[in-house]
Amino acid sequence: MTSRLVISSENEEFLARVNELSGQVITLCDQCGICSASCPMIDEMDVTPSQMMRMVQLGQSEVLKTKAMWLCASCFTCTVRCPRGLDLSRVAEALRQTTLRQASDHININAIPRDELAALPQIALVAGMRKFTG
Ligand code: SF4
Ligand code: SF4
């Protein structure tokens, strides 16, 4: 017998938006946990990649407050191992895009003291700005 997840229309809308932006069918995730077991960034994340997928499946927009979506390095390890063929790096990117479209950013350049800014390696700063800002 198959069971269908029942979520509110607001949550349904959030799930549909992330599906569309990522090009993935997130409900296909069966929570096997292979992505979490494979992720090189897991120790730094506040939720695991599979938890991130579950939150999106449930339409929980609180996922946008997690650090994990910013820390996904798009290394594709989970993508090549996912038995459902899901590309989690694209899901993380969709979540980042959703946040950036709300004019919210992970890095506030103006909040970094000038002396610290001067000491930062420029290449790291440029790479970080490309990933973390719109
Ligand atoms: S490996 Fe794929 S199916 Fe398994 S939990 Fe991760 S995203 Fe879901
Ligand atoms: S693509 Fe992201 S979530 Fe997947 S293993 Fe790499 S860092 Fe982890």
Side-chain angles (χ1 to χ4, degrees):
M1 189 176 85
T2 54
S3 59
R4 193 177 171 275
L5 202 61
V6 180
I7 58 177
S8 72
S9 57
E10 196 183 322
N11 292 14
E12 197 72 74
E13 207 177 292
F14 180 73
L15 169 62
R17 189 156 11 105
V18 182
N19 274 341
E20 188 184 354
L21 278 173
S22 67
Q24 308 300 297
V25 181
I26 294 160
T27 42
L28 286 178
C29 170
D30 65 3
Q31 289 290 291
C32 70
I34 290 176
C35 51
S36 300
S38 313
C39 180
M41 296 303 289
I42 192 95
D43 288 344
E44 309 302 323
M45 290 178 171
D46 47 357
V47 295
T48 65
S50 50
Q51 284 171 333
M52 187 162 77
M53 292 298 272
R54 188 63 178 157
M55 290 176 85
V56 178
Q57 276 182 335
L58 295 172
Q60 294 175 343
S61 57
E62 294 81 6
V63 70
L64 299 175
K65 296 194 177 86
T66 63
K67 217 167 64 161
M69 67 179 202
W70 298 102
L71 292 178
C72 169
S74 303
C75 71
F76 303 115
T77 308
C78 59
T79 307
V80 296
R81 292 186 178 168
C82 175
R84 292 302 181 109
L86 291 164
D87 188 340
L88 213 142
S89 64
R90 291 185 69 179
V91 175
E93 174 64 12
L95 296 175
R96 291 195 292 268
Q97 286 299 326
T98 303
T99 307
L100 293 169
R101 284 177 190 184
Q102 291 167 352
S104 175
D105 216 330
H106 192 55
I107 291 180
N108 178 1
I109 194 92
N110 295 320
I112 304 175
R114 287 189 77 82
D115 52 337
E116 250 179 63
L117 205 55
L120 282 173
Q122 282 191 8
I123 189 88
L125 196 60
V126 171
M129 294 301 286
R130 279 200 182 133
K131 178 170 178 196
F132 295 130
T133 69

